[in-house]
PDB file of all heavy atoms in Angstrom:
ATOM      1  N   THR R  91      38.921  91.216  29.412  1.00 59.00           N
ATOM      2  CA  THR R  91      38.181  92.300  30.051  1.00 59.00           C
ATOM      3  C   THR R  91      37.384  93.057  29.006  1.00 59.00           C
ATOM      4  O   THR R  91      37.611  92.925  27.806  1.00 59.00           O
ATOM      5  CB  THR R  91      39.141  93.267  30.765  1.00 59.00           C
ATOM      6  OG1 THR R  91      39.909  93.952  29.774  1.00 59.00           O
ATOM      7  CG2 THR R  91      40.038  92.537  31.734  1.00 59.00           C
ATOM      8  N   GLY R  92      36.502  93.892  29.446  1.00 70.00           N
ATOM      9  CA  GLY R  92      35.664  94.670  28.554  1.00 70.00           C
ATOM     10  C   GLY R  92      36.404  95.757  27.809  1.00 70.00           C
ATOM     11  O   GLY R  92      35.859  96.378  26.922  1.00 70.00           O
ATOM     12  N   LYS R  93      37.650  96.032  28.155  1.00 89.00           N
ATOM     13  CA  LYS R  93      38.407  97.121  27.527  1.00 89.00           C
ATOM     14  C   LYS R  93      39.180  96.675  26.286  1.00 89.00           C
ATOM     15  O   LYS R  93      39.609  97.499  25.501  1.00 89.00           O
ATOM     16  CB  LYS R  93      39.370  97.738  28.530  1.00 89.00           C
ATOM     17  CG  LYS R  93      38.649  98.419  29.678  1.00 89.00           C
ATOM     18  CD  LYS R  93      39.621  99.068  30.618  1.00 89.00           C
ATOM     19  CE  LYS R  93      38.852  99.718  31.755  1.00 89.00           C
ATOM     20  NZ  LYS R  93      39.716 100.517  32.605  1.00 89.00           N
ATOM     21  N   ILE R  94      39.362  95.394  26.110  1.00 93.00           N
ATOM     22  CA  ILE R  94      40.123  94.896  24.967  1.00 93.00           C
ATOM     23  C   ILE R  94      39.170  94.635  23.811  1.00 93.00           C
ATOM     24  O   ILE R  94      38.200  93.906  23.949  1.00 93.00           O
ATOM     25  CB  ILE R  94      40.885  93.609  25.324  1.00 93.00           C
ATOM     26  CG1 ILE R  94      41.905  93.881  26.423  1.00 93.00           C
ATOM     27  CG2 ILE R  94      41.556  93.035  24.088  1.00 93.00           C
ATOM     28  CD1 ILE R  94      42.592  92.645  26.944  1.00 93.00           C
ATOM     29  N   LYS R  95      39.441  95.252  22.680  1.00 91.00           N
ATOM     30  CA  LYS R  95      38.616  95.054  21.491  1.00 91.00           C
ATOM     31  C   LYS R  95      39.147  93.848  20.730  1.00 91.00           C
ATOM     32  O   LYS R  95      40.334  93.761  20.438  1.00 91.00           O
ATOM     33  CB  LYS R  95      38.660  96.303  20.605  1.00 91.00           C
ATOM     34  CG  LYS R  95      37.839  96.203  19.358  1.00 91.00           C
ATOM     35  CD  LYS R  95      36.364  96.173  19.667  1.00 91.00           C
ATOM     36  CE  LYS R  95      35.567  96.160  18.375  1.00 91.00           C
ATOM     37  NZ  LYS R  95      34.181  95.853  18.573  1.00 91.00           N
ATOM     38  N   CYS R  96      38.279  92.928  20.436  1.00 93.00           N
ATOM     39  CA  CYS R  96      38.662  91.713  19.716  1.00 93.00           C
ATOM     40  C   CYS R  96      37.871  91.632  18.420  1.00 93.00           C
ATOM     41  O   CYS R  96      36.648  91.691  18.422  1.00 93.00           O
ATOM     42  CB  CYS R  96      38.378  90.481  20.592  1.00 93.00           C
ATOM     43  SG  CYS R  96      38.804  88.929  19.786  1.00 93.00           S
ATOM     44  N   TYR R  97      38.574  91.508  17.303  1.00 94.00           N
ATOM     45  CA  TYR R  97      37.943  91.364  15.999  1.00 94.00           C
ATOM     46  C   TYR R  97      38.002  89.900  15.606  1.00 94.00           C
ATOM     47  O   TYR R  97      39.073  89.295  15.570  1.00 94.00           O
ATOM     48  CB  TYR R  97      38.671  92.205  14.958  1.00 94.00           C
ATOM     49  CG  TYR R  97      38.696  93.676  15.283  1.00 94.00           C
ATOM     50  CD1 TYR R  97      39.835  94.271  15.798  1.00 94.00           C
ATOM     51  CD2 TYR R  97      37.561  94.453  15.093  1.00 94.00           C
ATOM     52  CE1 TYR R  97      39.859  95.620  16.102  1.00 94.00           C
ATOM     53  CE2 TYR R  97      37.573  95.807  15.403  1.00 94.00           C
ATOM     54  CZ  TYR R  97      38.721  96.382  15.903  1.00 94.00           C
ATOM     55  OH  TYR R  97      38.737  97.711  16.203  1.00 94.00           O
ATOM     56  N   GLU R  98      36.853  89.356  15.310  1.00 93.00           N
ATOM     57  CA  GLU R  98      36.798  87.938  14.939  1.00 93.00           C
ATOM     58  C   GLU R  98      35.663  87.743  13.948  1.00 93.00           C
ATOM     59  O   GLU R  98      34.537  88.190  14.183  1.00 93.00           O
ATOM     60  CB  GLU R  98      36.566  87.093  16.188  1.00 93.00           C
ATOM     61  CG  GLU R  98      36.627  85.612  15.934  1.00 93.00           C
ATOM     62  CD  GLU R  98      36.532  84.796  17.216  1.00 93.00           C
ATOM     63  OE1 GLU R  98      36.269  85.377  18.288  1.00 93.00           O
ATOM     64  OE2 GLU R  98      36.711  83.586  17.124  1.00 93.00           O
ATOM     65  N   GLY R  99      35.973  87.075  12.844  1.00 93.00           N
ATOM     66  CA  GLY R  99      34.975  86.851  11.818  1.00 93.00           C
ATOM     67  C   GLY R  99      34.023  85.727  12.164  1.00 93.00           C
ATOM     68  O   GLY R  99      34.408  84.731  12.751  1.00 93.00           O
ATOM     69  N   LYS R 100      32.780  85.921  11.793  1.00 94.00           N
ATOM     70  CA  LYS R 100      31.759  84.888  11.978  1.00 94.00           C
ATOM     71  C   LYS R 100      31.617  84.098  10.685  1.00 94.00           C
ATOM     72  O   LYS R 100      31.911  84.582   9.606  1.00 94.00           O
ATOM     73  CB  LYS R 100      30.415  85.528  12.349  1.00 94.00           C
ATOM     74  CG  LYS R 100      30.478  86.418  13.576  1.00 94.00           C
ATOM     75  CD  LYS R 100      30.818  85.646  14.828  1.00 94.00           C
ATOM     76  CE  LYS R 100      30.796  86.549  16.037  1.00 94.00           C
ATOM     77  NZ  LYS R 100      31.893  86.368  16.932  1.00 94.00           N
ATOM     78  N   LEU R 101      31.133  82.895  10.798  1.00 96.00           N
ATOM     79  CA  LEU R 101      30.931  82.047   9.621  1.00 96.00           C
ATOM     80  C   LEU R 101      29.517  82.232   9.081  1.00 96.00           C
ATOM     81  O   LEU R 101      28.679  81.339   9.140  1.00 96.00           O
ATOM     82  CB  LEU R 101      31.210  80.581   9.961  1.00 96.00           C
ATOM     83  CG  LEU R 101      32.682  80.272  10.196  1.00 96.00           C
ATOM     84  CD1 LEU R 101      32.868  78.823  10.602  1.00 96.00           C
ATOM     85  CD2 LEU R 101      33.495  80.578   8.947  1.00 96.00           C
ATOM     86  N   ASN R 102      29.266  83.423   8.540  1.00 98.00           N
ATOM     87  CA  ASN R 102      27.983  83.750   7.950  1.00 98.00           C
ATOM     88  C   ASN R 102      28.252  84.341   6.571  1.00 98.00           C
ATOM     89  O   ASN R 102      28.746  85.457   6.454  1.00 98.00           O
ATOM     90  CB  ASN R 102      27.226  84.738   8.833  1.00 98.00           C
ATOM     91  CG  ASN R 102      25.886  85.118   8.246  1.00 98.00           C
ATOM     92  OD1 ASN R 102      25.480  84.625   7.200  1.00 98.00           O
ATOM     93  ND2 ASN R 102      25.185  86.020   8.921  1.00 98.00           N
ATOM     94  N   ALA R 103      27.923  83.600   5.526  1.00 98.00           N
ATOM     95  CA  ALA R 103      28.179  84.047   4.162  1.00 98.00           C
ATOM     96  C   ALA R 103      26.974  84.723   3.524  1.00 98.00           C
ATOM     97  O   ALA R 103      27.023  85.112   2.359  1.00 98.00           O
ATOM     98  CB  ALA R 103      28.614  82.859   3.304  1.00 98.00           C
ATOM     99  N   SER R 104      25.909  84.886   4.278  1.00 98.00           N
ATOM    100  CA  SER R 104      24.695  85.499   3.754  1.00 98.00           C
ATOM    101  C   SER R 104      24.970  86.925   3.285  1.00 98.00           C
ATOM    102  O   SER R 104      25.541  87.732   4.016  1.00 98.00           O
ATOM    103  CB  SER R 104      23.617  85.491   4.840  1.00 98.00           C
ATOM    104  OG  SER R 104      22.433  86.070   4.345  1.00 98.00           O
ATOM    105  N   GLY R 105      24.598  87.214   2.056  1.00 98.00           N
ATOM    106  CA  GLY R 105      24.777  88.546   1.498  1.00 98.00           C
ATOM    107  C   GLY R 105      26.175  88.830   0.970  1.00 98.00           C
ATOM    108  O   GLY R 105      26.424  89.918   0.463  1.00 98.00           O
ATOM    109  N   LEU R 106      27.081  87.866   1.073  1.00 98.00           N
ATOM    110  CA  LEU R 106      28.447  88.061   0.591  1.00 98.00           C
ATOM    111  C   LEU R 106      28.588  87.485  -0.817  1.00 98.00           C
ATOM    112  O   LEU R 106      27.891  86.547  -1.191  1.00 98.00           O
ATOM    113  CB  LEU R 106      29.452  87.395   1.538  1.00 98.00           C
ATOM    114  CG  LEU R 106      29.431  87.882   2.983  1.00 98.00           C
ATOM    115  CD1 LEU R 106      30.451  87.107   3.816  1.00 98.00           C
ATOM    116  CD2 LEU R 106      29.681  89.375   3.062  1.00 98.00           C
ATOM    117  N   ARG R 107      29.522  88.052  -1.570  1.00 98.00           N
ATOM    118  CA  ARG R 107      29.765  87.609  -2.943  1.00 98.00           C
ATOM    119  C   ARG R 107      31.183  87.061  -3.056  1.00 98.00           C
ATOM    120  O   ARG R 107      32.136  87.690  -2.587  1.00 98.00           O
ATOM    121  CB  ARG R 107      29.571  88.770  -3.902  1.00 98.00           C
ATOM    122  CG  ARG R 107      28.122  89.286  -3.892  1.00 98.00           C
ATOM    123  CD  ARG R 107      28.012  90.652  -4.487  1.00 98.00           C
ATOM    124  NE  ARG R 107      28.838  91.553  -3.675  1.00 98.00           N
ATOM    125  CZ  ARG R 107      29.400  92.665  -4.131  1.00 98.00           C
ATOM    126  NH1 ARG R 107      29.239  93.038  -5.366  1.00 98.00           N
ATOM    127  NH2 ARG R 107      30.127  93.423  -3.342  1.00 98.00           N
ATOM    128  N   PHE R 108      31.308  85.907  -3.695  1.00 98.00           N
ATOM    129  CA  PHE R 108      32.591  85.217  -3.790  1.00 98.00           C
ATOM    130  C   PHE R 108      32.928  84.882  -5.234  1.00 98.00           C
ATOM    131  O   PHE R 108      32.060  84.454  -5.990  1.00 98.00           O
ATOM    132  CB  PHE R 108      32.554  83.907  -2.990  1.00 98.00           C
ATOM    133  CG  PHE R 108      32.283  84.109  -1.537  1.00 98.00           C
ATOM    134  CD1 PHE R 108      30.987  84.074  -1.046  1.00 98.00           C
ATOM    135  CD2 PHE R 108      33.320  84.351  -0.644  1.00 98.00           C
ATOM    136  CE1 PHE R 108      30.721  84.266   0.300  1.00 98.00           C
ATOM    137  CE2 PHE R 108      33.069  84.547   0.701  1.00 98.00           C
ATOM    138  CZ  PHE R 108      31.764  84.507   1.175  1.00 98.00           C
ATOM    139  N   ALA R 109      34.194  85.058  -5.570  1.00 98.00           N
ATOM    140  CA  ALA R 109      34.728  84.560  -6.831  1.00 98.00           C
ATOM    141  C   ALA R 109      35.648  83.398  -6.487  1.00 98.00           C
ATOM    142  O   ALA R 109      36.366  83.445  -5.481  1.00 98.00           O
ATOM    143  CB  ALA R 109      35.501  85.641  -7.569  1.00 98.00           C
ATOM    144  N   ILE R 110      35.610  82.371  -7.304  1.00 98.00           N
ATOM    145  CA  ILE R 110      36.494  81.218  -7.114  1.00 98.00           C
ATOM    146  C   ILE R 110      37.262  81.019  -8.406  1.00 98.00           C
ATOM    147  O   ILE R 110      36.671  80.852  -9.468  1.00 98.00           O
ATOM    148  CB  ILE R 110      35.698  79.939  -6.767  1.00 98.00           C
ATOM    149  CG1 ILE R 110      34.802  80.165  -5.549  1.00 98.00           C
ATOM    150  CG2 ILE R 110      36.662  78.781  -6.525  1.00 98.00           C
ATOM    151  CD1 ILE R 110      33.877  78.993  -5.233  1.00 98.00           C
ATOM    152  N   VAL R 111      38.584  81.058  -8.309  1.00 98.00           N
ATOM    153  CA  VAL R 111      39.447  80.815  -9.463  1.00 98.00           C
ATOM    154  C   VAL R 111      39.964  79.385  -9.352  1.00 98.00           C
ATOM    155  O   VAL R 111      40.529  79.002  -8.318  1.00 98.00           O
ATOM    156  CB  VAL R 111      40.638  81.798  -9.515  1.00 98.00           C
ATOM    157  CG1 VAL R 111      41.489  81.535 -10.755  1.00 98.00           C
ATOM    158  CG2 VAL R 111      40.152  83.236  -9.482  1.00 98.00           C
ATOM    159  N   CYS R 112      39.769  78.605 -10.403  1.00 98.00           N
ATOM    160  CA  CYS R 112      40.163  77.192 -10.412  1.00 98.00           C
ATOM    161  C   CYS R 112      41.126  76.908 -11.550  1.00 98.00           C
ATOM    162  O   CYS R 112      40.887  77.318 -12.686  1.00 98.00           O
ATOM    163  CB  CYS R 112      38.938  76.293 -10.602  1.00 98.00           C
ATOM    164  SG  CYS R 112      37.726  76.419  -9.301  1.00 98.00           S
ATOM    165  N   ALA R 113      42.191  76.191 -11.233  1.00 98.00           N
ATOM    166  CA  ALA R 113      43.140  75.754 -12.254  1.00 98.00           C
ATOM    167  C   ALA R 113      42.624  74.468 -12.904  1.00 98.00           C
ATOM    168  O   ALA R 113      42.232  73.537 -12.207  1.00 98.00           O
ATOM    169  CB  ALA R 113      44.507  75.514 -11.632  1.00 98.00           C
ATOM    170  N   ARG R 114      42.611  74.443 -14.224  1.00 97.00           N
ATOM    171  CA  ARG R 114      42.138  73.264 -14.947  1.00 97.00           C
ATOM    172  C   ARG R 114      43.150  72.108 -14.887  1.00 97.00           C
ATOM    173  O   ARG R 114      42.776  70.947 -14.933  1.00 97.00           O
ATOM    174  CB  ARG R 114      41.846  73.635 -16.394  1.00 97.00           C
ATOM    175  CG  ARG R 114      41.001  72.608 -17.103  1.00 97.00           C
ATOM    176  CD  ARG R 114      40.574  73.047 -18.496  1.00 97.00           C
ATOM    177  NE  ARG R 114      39.770  74.262 -18.473  1.00 97.00           N
ATOM    178  CZ  ARG R 114      40.177  75.438 -18.942  1.00 97.00           C
ATOM    179  NH1 ARG R 114      41.357  75.568 -19.487  1.00 97.00           N
ATOM    180  NH2 ARG R 114      39.394  76.489 -18.886  1.00 97.00           N
ATOM    181  N   PHE R 115      44.441  72.436 -14.768  1.00 96.00           N
ATOM    182  CA  PHE R 115      45.462  71.390 -14.674  1.00 96.00           C
ATOM    183  C   PHE R 115      45.226  70.614 -13.377  1.00 96.00           C
ATOM    184  O   PHE R 115      45.013  71.198 -12.335  1.00 96.00           O
ATOM    185  CB  PHE R 115      46.857  72.016 -14.689  1.00 96.00           C
ATOM    186  CG  PHE R 115      47.946  71.034 -14.988  1.00 96.00           C
ATOM    187  CD1 PHE R 115      48.213  70.653 -16.293  1.00 96.00           C
ATOM    188  CD2 PHE R 115      48.694  70.484 -13.971  1.00 96.00           C
ATOM    189  CE1 PHE R 115      49.222  69.739 -16.573  1.00 96.00           C
ATOM    190  CE2 PHE R 115      49.700  69.578 -14.231  1.00 96.00           C
ATOM    191  CZ  PHE R 115      49.967  69.199 -15.542  1.00 96.00           C
ATOM    192  N   ASN R 116      45.236  69.308 -13.444  1.00 95.00           N
ATOM    193  CA  ASN R 116      44.883  68.431 -12.315  1.00 95.00           C
ATOM    194  C   ASN R 116      43.422  68.626 -11.904  1.00 95.00           C
ATOM    195  O   ASN R 116      43.075  68.560 -10.730  1.00 95.00           O
ATOM    196  CB  ASN R 116      45.807  68.646 -11.108  1.00 95.00           C
ATOM    197  CG  ASN R 116      47.198  68.117 -11.351  1.00 95.00           C
ATOM    198  OD1 ASN R 116      47.377  67.069 -11.957  1.00 95.00           O
ATOM    199  ND2 ASN R 116      48.189  68.849 -10.888  1.00 95.00           N
ATOM    200  N   ASP R 117      42.569  68.857 -12.906  1.00 95.00           N
ATOM    201  CA  ASP R 117      41.178  69.188 -12.604  1.00 95.00           C
ATOM    202  C   ASP R 117      40.396  68.070 -11.918  1.00 95.00           C
ATOM    203  O   ASP R 117      39.380  68.334 -11.283  1.00 95.00           O
ATOM    204  CB  ASP R 117      40.436  69.669 -13.848  1.00 95.00           C
ATOM    205  CG  ASP R 117      40.182  68.586 -14.868  1.00 95.00           C
ATOM    206  OD1 ASP R 117      40.911  67.582 -14.876  1.00 95.00           O
ATOM    207  OD2 ASP R 117      39.243  68.757 -15.672  1.00 95.00           O
ATOM    208  N   ILE R 118      40.864  66.853 -11.983  1.00 95.00           N
ATOM    209  CA  ILE R 118      40.185  65.790 -11.252  1.00 95.00           C
ATOM    210  C   ILE R 118      40.207  66.082  -9.749  1.00 95.00           C
ATOM    211  O   ILE R 118      39.241  65.805  -9.031  1.00 95.00           O
ATOM    212  CB  ILE R 118      40.786  64.397 -11.566  1.00 95.00           C
ATOM    213  CG1 ILE R 118      39.907  63.303 -10.977  1.00 95.00           C
ATOM    214  CG2 ILE R 118      42.208  64.287 -11.053  1.00 95.00           C
ATOM    215  CD1 ILE R 118      40.255  61.909 -11.495  1.00 95.00           C
ATOM    216  N   PHE R 119      41.282  66.700  -9.285  1.00 96.00           N
ATOM    217  CA  PHE R 119      41.389  67.091  -7.883  1.00 96.00           C
ATOM    218  C   PHE R 119      40.779  68.475  -7.637  1.00 96.00           C
ATOM    219  O   PHE R 119      40.109  68.698  -6.635  1.00 96.00           O
ATOM    220  CB  PHE R 119      42.851  67.086  -7.423  1.00 96.00           C
ATOM    221  CG  PHE R 119      43.535  65.774  -7.640  1.00 96.00           C
ATOM    222  CD1 PHE R 119      44.594  65.666  -8.522  1.00 96.00           C
ATOM    223  CD2 PHE R 119      43.112  64.633  -6.978  1.00 96.00           C
ATOM    224  CE1 PHE R 119      45.226  64.451  -8.726  1.00 96.00           C
ATOM    225  CE2 PHE R 119      43.734  63.409  -7.179  1.00 96.00           C
ATOM    226  CZ  PHE R 119      44.790  63.321  -8.058  1.00 96.00           C
ATOM    227  N   VAL R 120      41.013  69.382  -8.559  1.00 97.00           N
ATOM    228  CA  VAL R 120      40.511  70.746  -8.399  1.00 97.00           C
ATOM    229  C   VAL R 120      38.982  70.753  -8.369  1.00 97.00           C
ATOM    230  O   VAL R 120      38.374  71.511  -7.611  1.00 97.00           O
ATOM    231  CB  VAL R 120      41.065  71.680  -9.497  1.00 97.00           C
ATOM    232  CG1 VAL R 120      40.485  73.089  -9.361  1.00 97.00           C
ATOM    233  CG2 VAL R 120      42.588  71.728  -9.442  1.00 97.00           C
ATOM    234  N   SER R 121      38.358  69.908  -9.150  1.00 97.00           N
ATOM    235  CA  SER R 121      36.894  69.815  -9.125  1.00 97.00           C
ATOM    236  C   SER R 121      36.384  69.415  -7.745  1.00 97.00           C
ATOM    237  O   SER R 121      35.343  69.904  -7.287  1.00 97.00           O
ATOM    238  CB  SER R 121      36.403  68.818 -10.175  1.00 97.00           C
ATOM    239  OG  SER R 121      36.685  69.293 -11.463  1.00 97.00           O
ATOM    240  N   GLN R 122      37.125  68.548  -7.072  1.00 96.00           N
ATOM    241  CA  GLN R 122      36.762  68.162  -5.707  1.00 96.00           C
ATOM    242  C   GLN R 122      36.933  69.345  -4.745  1.00 96.00           C
ATOM    243  O   GLN R 122      36.106  69.552  -3.848  1.00 96.00           O
ATOM    244  CB  GLN R 122      37.616  66.983  -5.233  1.00 96.00           C
ATOM    245  CG  GLN R 122      37.378  65.706  -6.006  1.00 96.00           C
ATOM    246  CD  GLN R 122      35.956  65.207  -5.849  1.00 96.00           C
ATOM    247  OE1 GLN R 122      35.422  65.151  -4.755  1.00 96.00           O
ATOM    248  NE2 GLN R 122      35.336  64.862  -6.963  1.00 96.00           N
ATOM    249  N   LEU R 123      38.002  70.107  -4.932  1.00 97.00           N
ATOM    250  CA  LEU R 123      38.211  71.305  -4.111  1.00 97.00           C
ATOM    251  C   LEU R 123      37.083  72.311  -4.340  1.00 97.00           C
ATOM    252  O   LEU R 123      36.556  72.895  -3.386  1.00 97.00           O
ATOM    253  CB  LEU R 123      39.555  71.957  -4.432  1.00 97.00           C
ATOM    254  CG  LEU R 123      40.811  71.136  -4.168  1.00 97.00           C
ATOM    255  CD1 LEU R 123      42.045  71.904  -4.635  1.00 97.00           C
ATOM    256  CD2 LEU R 123      40.930  70.752  -2.714  1.00 97.00           C
ATOM    257  N   LEU R 124      36.724  72.501  -5.593  1.00 97.00           N
ATOM    258  CA  LEU R 124      35.644  73.419  -5.939  1.00 97.00           C
ATOM    259  C   LEU R 124      34.329  72.972  -5.296  1.00 97.00           C
ATOM    260  O   LEU R 124      33.601  73.785  -4.718  1.00 97.00           O
ATOM    261  CB  LEU R 124      35.491  73.519  -7.454  1.00 97.00           C
ATOM    262  CG  LEU R 124      34.307  74.353  -7.956  1.00 97.00           C
ATOM    263  CD1 LEU R 124      34.405  75.793  -7.460  1.00 97.00           C
ATOM    264  CD2 LEU R 124      34.247  74.280  -9.480  1.00 97.00           C
ATOM    265  N   GLY R 125      34.040  71.683  -5.386  1.00 97.00           N
ATOM    266  CA  GLY R 125      32.823  71.170  -4.756  1.00 97.00           C
ATOM    267  C   GLY R 125      32.801  71.437  -3.266  1.00 97.00           C
ATOM    268  O   GLY R 125      31.776  71.831  -2.703  1.00 97.00           O
ATOM    269  N   GLY R 126      33.939  71.246  -2.611  1.00 96.00           N
ATOM    270  CA  GLY R 126      34.032  71.518  -1.178  1.00 96.00           C
ATOM    271  C   GLY R 126      33.841  72.988  -0.863  1.00 96.00           C
ATOM    272  O   GLY R 126      33.171  73.344   0.112  1.00 96.00           O
ATOM    273  N   ALA R 127      34.413  73.859  -1.688  1.00 98.00           N
ATOM    274  CA  ALA R 127      34.293  75.302  -1.464  1.00 98.00           C
ATOM    275  C   ALA R 127      32.856  75.764  -1.637  1.00 98.00           C
ATOM    276  O   ALA R 127      32.311  76.479  -0.787  1.00 98.00           O
ATOM    277  CB  ALA R 127      35.226  76.061  -2.412  1.00 98.00           C
ATOM    278  N   VAL R 128      32.231  75.362  -2.732  1.00 98.00           N
ATOM    279  CA  VAL R 128      30.847  75.780  -2.994  1.00 98.00           C
ATOM    280  C   VAL R 128      29.915  75.242  -1.913  1.00 98.00           C
ATOM    281  O   VAL R 128      29.059  75.965  -1.398  1.00 98.00           O
ATOM    282  CB  VAL R 128      30.398  75.340  -4.404  1.00 98.00           C
ATOM    283  CG1 VAL R 128      28.902  75.540  -4.595  1.00 98.00           C
ATOM    284  CG2 VAL R 128      31.187  76.099  -5.474  1.00 98.00           C
ATOM    285  N   ASP R 129      30.076  73.979  -1.548  1.00 97.00           N
ATOM    286  CA  ASP R 129      29.254  73.394  -0.494  1.00 97.00           C
ATOM    287  C   ASP R 129      29.392  74.183   0.804  1.00 97.00           C
ATOM    288  O   ASP R 129      28.401  74.496   1.467  1.00 97.00           O
ATOM    289  CB  ASP R 129      29.636  71.928  -0.275  1.00 97.00           C
ATOM    290  CG  ASP R 129      28.808  71.287   0.817  1.00 97.00           C
ATOM    291  OD1 ASP R 129      27.580  71.151   0.640  1.00 97.00           O
ATOM    292  OD2 ASP R 129      29.395  70.902   1.853  1.00 97.00           O
ATOM    293  N   CYS R 130      30.604  74.546   1.161  1.00 97.00           N
ATOM    294  CA  CYS R 130      30.855  75.307   2.382  1.00 97.00           C
ATOM    295  C   CYS R 130      30.170  76.676   2.319  1.00 97.00           C
ATOM    296  O   CYS R 130      29.516  77.092   3.282  1.00 97.00           O
ATOM    297  CB  CYS R 130      32.354  75.472   2.596  1.00 97.00           C
ATOM    298  SG  CYS R 130      32.784  76.479   4.031  1.00 97.00           S
ATOM    299  N   LEU R 131      30.324  77.373   1.204  1.00 98.00           N
ATOM    300  CA  LEU R 131      29.710  78.699   1.074  1.00 98.00           C
ATOM    301  C   LEU R 131      28.192  78.605   1.197  1.00 98.00           C
ATOM    302  O   LEU R 131      27.565  79.399   1.903  1.00 98.00           O
ATOM    303  CB  LEU R 131      30.103  79.333  -0.265  1.00 98.00           C
ATOM    304  CG  LEU R 131      31.577  79.670  -0.445  1.00 98.00           C
ATOM    305  CD1 LEU R 131      31.849  80.127  -1.876  1.00 98.00           C
ATOM    306  CD2 LEU R 131      32.036  80.711   0.558  1.00 98.00           C
ATOM    307  N   LEU R 132      27.596  77.633   0.516  1.00 98.00           N
ATOM    308  CA  LEU R 132      26.140  77.476   0.562  1.00 98.00           C
ATOM    309  C   LEU R 132      25.658  77.092   1.957  1.00 98.00           C
ATOM    310  O   LEU R 132      24.641  77.594   2.440  1.00 98.00           O
ATOM    311  CB  LEU R 132      25.687  76.445  -0.471  1.00 98.00           C
ATOM    312  CG  LEU R 132      25.924  76.811  -1.938  1.00 98.00           C
ATOM    313  CD1 LEU R 132      25.540  75.655  -2.853  1.00 98.00           C
ATOM    314  CD2 LEU R 132      25.169  78.083  -2.320  1.00 98.00           C
ATOM    315  N   ARG R 133      26.386  76.213   2.611  1.00 98.00           N
ATOM    316  CA  ARG R 133      26.005  75.792   3.970  1.00 98.00           C
ATOM    317  C   ARG R 133      26.061  76.944   4.969  1.00 98.00           C
ATOM    318  O   ARG R 133      25.365  76.921   5.987  1.00 98.00           O
ATOM    319  CB  ARG R 133      26.921  74.672   4.463  1.00 98.00           C
ATOM    320  CG  ARG R 133      26.638  73.336   3.851  1.00 98.00           C
ATOM    321  CD  ARG R 133      27.648  72.302   4.358  1.00 98.00           C
ATOM    322  NE  ARG R 133      27.485  71.043   3.700  1.00 98.00           N
ATOM    323  CZ  ARG R 133      26.816  70.018   4.225  1.00 98.00           C
ATOM    324  NH1 ARG R 133      26.269  70.128   5.408  1.00 98.00           N
ATOM    325  NH2 ARG R 133      26.709  68.885   3.553  1.00 98.00           N
TER     326      ARG R 133
END
């Protein structure tokens, strides 16, 4: 109904700032995770 307030985030990263912390140990996998994260943010 119109009386219930619902908070829900949209997938719009425009104007937002992100820090990504990456562990170097197992970096062959972490680099893939980083690539996925950056690609998602840019998209």
Side-chain angles (χ1 to χ4, degrees):
T91 68
K93 295 182 181 188
I94 297 174
K95 180 68 176 168
C96 180
Y97 301 103
E98 186 174 8
K100 304 295 183 224
L101 289 177
N102 179 2
S104 181
L106 301 178
R107 297 162 299 153
F108 300 92
I110 305 174
V111 182
C112 298
R114 196 173 299 111
F115 196 81
N116 289 321
D117 70 337
I118 190 167
F119 304 115
V120 177
S121 294
Q122 295 297 313
L123 298 176
L124 175 60
V128 170
D129 180 65
C130 177
L131 294 173
L132 295 175
R133 285 177 185 261

